[in-house]
Short mmCIF file of all heavy atoms in Angstrom, two decimals:
data_model
loop_
_atom_site.label_atom_id
_atom_site.label_comp_id
_atom_site.label_asym_id
_atom_site.label_seq_id
_atom_site.Cartn_x
_atom_site.Cartn_y
_atom_site.Cartn_z
N THR A 31 -22.76 -17.19 -13.74
CA THR A 31 -22.02 -18.23 -14.45
C THR A 31 -22.48 -18.24 -15.89
O THR A 31 -23.68 -18.12 -16.15
CB THR A 31 -22.28 -19.62 -13.83
OG1 THR A 31 -21.85 -19.64 -12.47
CG2 THR A 31 -21.57 -20.71 -14.61
N TYR A 35 -21.62 -24.89 -24.57
CA TYR A 35 -21.65 -26.31 -24.92
C TYR A 35 -21.66 -26.46 -26.44
O TYR A 35 -22.15 -25.60 -27.17
CB TYR A 35 -22.93 -26.97 -24.39
CG TYR A 35 -22.97 -27.19 -22.90
CD1 TYR A 35 -23.40 -26.19 -22.04
CD2 TYR A 35 -22.58 -28.41 -22.36
CE1 TYR A 35 -23.45 -26.41 -20.67
CE2 TYR A 35 -22.64 -28.64 -20.99
CZ TYR A 35 -23.07 -27.62 -20.16
OH TYR A 35 -23.12 -27.85 -18.81
N GLN A 37 -22.90 -29.48 -29.33
CA GLN A 37 -23.60 -30.73 -29.55
C GLN A 37 -23.30 -31.22 -30.96
O GLN A 37 -23.69 -30.57 -31.94
CB GLN A 37 -25.10 -30.56 -29.34
CG GLN A 37 -25.89 -31.84 -29.46
CD GLN A 37 -27.37 -31.62 -29.23
OE1 GLN A 37 -27.90 -30.55 -29.47
NE2 GLN A 37 -28.06 -32.65 -28.77
N GLY A 40 -26.56 -36.07 -33.32
CA GLY A 40 -26.91 -37.34 -32.70
C GLY A 40 -26.31 -37.60 -31.34
O GLY A 40 -26.44 -38.71 -30.81
N GLU A 41 -25.67 -36.60 -30.75
CA GLU A 41 -25.02 -36.76 -29.44
C GLU A 41 -25.57 -35.76 -28.45
O GLU A 41 -26.32 -34.85 -28.81
CB GLU A 41 -23.51 -36.59 -29.58
CG GLU A 41 -22.83 -37.58 -30.48
CD GLU A 41 -22.83 -38.99 -29.89
OE1 GLU A 41 -22.87 -39.12 -28.65
OE2 GLU A 41 -22.82 -39.95 -30.69
N GLY A 42 -25.18 -35.91 -27.17
CA GLY A 42 -25.54 -34.92 -26.18
C GLY A 42 -24.55 -33.77 -26.17
O GLY A 42 -23.43 -33.89 -26.65
N HIS A 92 -26.38 -19.09 -15.30
CA HIS A 92 -26.97 -19.33 -13.98
C HIS A 92 -27.21 -18.00 -13.27
O HIS A 92 -26.31 -17.16 -13.19
CB HIS A 92 -26.07 -20.21 -13.13
CG HIS A 92 -26.64 -20.48 -11.77
ND1 HIS A 92 -26.14 -19.90 -10.62
CD2 HIS A 92 -27.70 -21.24 -11.37
CE1 HIS A 92 -26.84 -20.30 -9.58
NE2 HIS A 92 -27.80 -21.10 -10.02
N GLN A 97 -32.25 -22.71 -9.09
CA GLN A 97 -31.99 -24.14 -8.94
C GLN A 97 -31.40 -24.76 -10.19
O GLN A 97 -30.93 -25.90 -10.16
CB GLN A 97 -33.30 -24.87 -8.61
CG GLN A 97 -33.81 -24.63 -7.22
CD GLN A 97 -35.09 -25.44 -6.98
OE1 GLN A 97 -36.08 -25.27 -7.68
NE2 GLN A 97 -35.05 -26.32 -6.00
N LYS A 98 -31.47 -24.05 -11.33
CA LYS A 98 -31.05 -24.68 -12.56
C LYS A 98 -30.51 -23.63 -13.53
O LYS A 98 -30.63 -22.44 -13.30
CB LYS A 98 -32.23 -25.41 -13.20
CG LYS A 98 -33.44 -24.54 -13.46
CD LYS A 98 -34.66 -25.37 -13.81
CE LYS A 98 -35.84 -24.52 -14.23
NZ LYS A 98 -36.30 -23.62 -13.16
N LEU A 99 -29.91 -24.13 -14.61
CA LEU A 99 -29.40 -23.27 -15.66
C LEU A 99 -30.51 -22.82 -16.61
O LEU A 99 -31.54 -23.49 -16.72
CB LEU A 99 -28.34 -24.01 -16.48
CG LEU A 99 -27.06 -24.45 -15.76
CD1 LEU A 99 -26.19 -25.28 -16.71
CD2 LEU A 99 -26.30 -23.26 -15.23
N PHE A 101 -30.90 -22.07 -20.68
CA PHE A 101 -30.19 -22.34 -21.94
C PHE A 101 -30.66 -21.41 -23.05
O PHE A 101 -31.83 -21.05 -23.13
CB PHE A 101 -30.42 -23.79 -22.38
CG PHE A 101 -29.59 -24.79 -21.64
CD1 PHE A 101 -30.00 -25.30 -20.42
CD2 PHE A 101 -28.36 -25.20 -22.15
CE1 PHE A 101 -29.22 -26.21 -19.73
CE2 PHE A 101 -27.58 -26.10 -21.46
CZ PHE A 101 -28.01 -26.61 -20.25
N GLN A 103 -31.19 -20.86 -27.25
CA GLN A 103 -31.86 -21.71 -28.24
C GLN A 103 -30.88 -22.47 -29.12
O GLN A 103 -31.28 -23.38 -29.84
CB GLN A 103 -32.77 -20.86 -29.12
CG GLN A 103 -33.95 -20.26 -28.40
CD GLN A 103 -35.00 -21.29 -28.03
OE1 GLN A 103 -35.20 -22.29 -28.72
NE2 GLN A 103 -35.68 -21.09 -26.90
N ARG B 9 -30.15 -45.67 -27.13
CA ARG B 9 -29.89 -44.57 -28.08
C ARG B 9 -31.12 -44.32 -28.96
O ARG B 9 -31.43 -43.21 -29.30
CB ARG B 9 -28.69 -44.91 -28.96
CG ARG B 9 -27.37 -44.93 -28.23
CD ARG B 9 -27.01 -43.58 -27.62
NE ARG B 9 -26.90 -42.51 -28.59
CZ ARG B 9 -25.79 -42.18 -29.22
NH1 ARG B 9 -24.68 -42.86 -29.02
NH2 ARG B 9 -25.78 -41.16 -30.08
N TYR B 35 -34.41 -33.35 -20.29
CA TYR B 35 -34.79 -32.38 -21.31
C TYR B 35 -35.30 -33.13 -22.54
O TYR B 35 -34.92 -34.27 -22.80
CB TYR B 35 -33.56 -31.57 -21.75
CG TYR B 35 -33.05 -30.57 -20.75
CD1 TYR B 35 -32.14 -30.95 -19.76
CD2 TYR B 35 -33.45 -29.24 -20.79
CE1 TYR B 35 -31.65 -30.03 -18.84
CE2 TYR B 35 -32.97 -28.32 -19.87
CZ TYR B 35 -32.06 -28.72 -18.91
OH TYR B 35 -31.59 -27.80 -18.00
N GLN B 37 -35.48 -32.28 -26.78
CA GLN B 37 -34.91 -31.38 -27.78
C GLN B 37 -35.61 -31.61 -29.10
O GLN B 37 -35.61 -32.71 -29.64
CB GLN B 37 -33.40 -31.62 -27.95
CG GLN B 37 -32.73 -30.66 -28.91
CD GLN B 37 -31.24 -30.91 -29.02
OE1 GLN B 37 -30.74 -31.99 -28.71
NE2 GLN B 37 -30.49 -29.91 -29.45
N LEU B 41 -36.58 -25.56 -31.25
CA LEU B 41 -37.13 -25.27 -29.92
C LEU B 41 -36.08 -25.36 -28.81
O LEU B 41 -36.40 -25.17 -27.64
CB LEU B 41 -38.28 -26.22 -29.61
CG LEU B 41 -39.50 -26.10 -30.51
CD1 LEU B 41 -40.56 -27.11 -30.11
CD2 LEU B 41 -40.08 -24.68 -30.47
N GLY B 42 -34.86 -25.68 -29.16
CA GLY B 42 -33.81 -25.75 -28.16
C GLY B 42 -34.02 -26.88 -27.17
O GLY B 42 -34.65 -27.89 -27.46
N LEU B 45 -36.85 -28.15 -20.50
CA LEU B 45 -36.74 -28.93 -19.27
C LEU B 45 -38.07 -29.58 -18.93
O LEU B 45 -39.10 -28.90 -18.82
CB LEU B 45 -36.28 -28.03 -18.13
CG LEU B 45 -36.06 -28.68 -16.77
CD1 LEU B 45 -34.94 -29.72 -16.84
CD2 LEU B 45 -35.74 -27.62 -15.73
N GLY B 98 -27.22 -24.87 -8.19
CA GLY B 98 -27.84 -24.76 -9.50
C GLY B 98 -26.92 -24.36 -10.64
O GLY B 98 -27.33 -24.38 -11.79
N GLN B 99 -25.66 -24.00 -10.32
CA GLN B 99 -24.88 -23.35 -11.37
C GLN B 99 -24.12 -24.29 -12.29
O GLN B 99 -23.37 -23.85 -13.16
CB GLN B 99 -23.91 -22.35 -10.73
CG GLN B 99 -22.78 -22.97 -9.95
CD GLN B 99 -21.85 -21.88 -9.40
OE1 GLN B 99 -22.08 -21.35 -8.32
NE2 GLN B 99 -20.83 -21.54 -10.14
N TYR B 102 -23.47 -28.82 -16.17
CA TYR B 102 -24.15 -30.08 -16.38
C TYR B 102 -23.28 -30.98 -17.23
O TYR B 102 -22.59 -30.53 -18.14
CB TYR B 102 -25.47 -29.88 -17.12
CG TYR B 102 -26.54 -29.09 -16.42
CD1 TYR B 102 -27.75 -28.87 -17.05
CD2 TYR B 102 -26.37 -28.55 -15.15
CE1 TYR B 102 -28.76 -28.14 -16.44
CE2 TYR B 102 -27.37 -27.82 -14.54
CZ TYR B 102 -28.56 -27.62 -15.18
OH TYR B 102 -29.56 -26.89 -14.58
N PHE B 104 -24.03 -34.08 -19.78
CA PHE B 104 -25.16 -34.67 -20.50
C PHE B 104 -24.86 -36.10 -20.92
O PHE B 104 -23.71 -36.47 -21.17
CB PHE B 104 -25.47 -33.86 -21.77
CG PHE B 104 -26.19 -32.58 -21.51
CD1 PHE B 104 -25.49 -31.41 -21.23
CD2 PHE B 104 -27.58 -32.52 -21.56
CE1 PHE B 104 -26.14 -30.21 -20.99
CE2 PHE B 104 -28.26 -31.33 -21.33
CZ PHE B 104 -27.54 -30.17 -21.04
N GLY B 105 -25.91 -36.89 -21.03
CA GLY B 105 -25.83 -38.18 -21.67
C GLY B 105 -25.86 -38.02 -23.19
O GLY B 105 -25.98 -36.91 -23.70
N SER B 106 -25.76 -39.14 -23.89
CA SER B 106 -25.72 -39.11 -25.35
C SER B 106 -27.09 -38.97 -25.99
O SER B 106 -27.19 -38.77 -27.20
CB SER B 106 -25.06 -40.39 -25.88
OG SER B 106 -23.72 -40.45 -25.45
#
Side-chain angles (χ1 to χ4, degrees):
Chain A
T31 299
Y35 287 86
Q37 184 179 28
E41 299 291 333
H92 180 253
Q97 287 182 300
K98 57 192 186 298
L99 296 175
F101 281 85
Q103 293 289 329
Chain B
R9 292 298 300 270
Y35 288 87
Q37 183 178 21
L41 297 179
L45 182 63
Q99 70 178 87
Y102 295 179
F104 283 87
S106 297

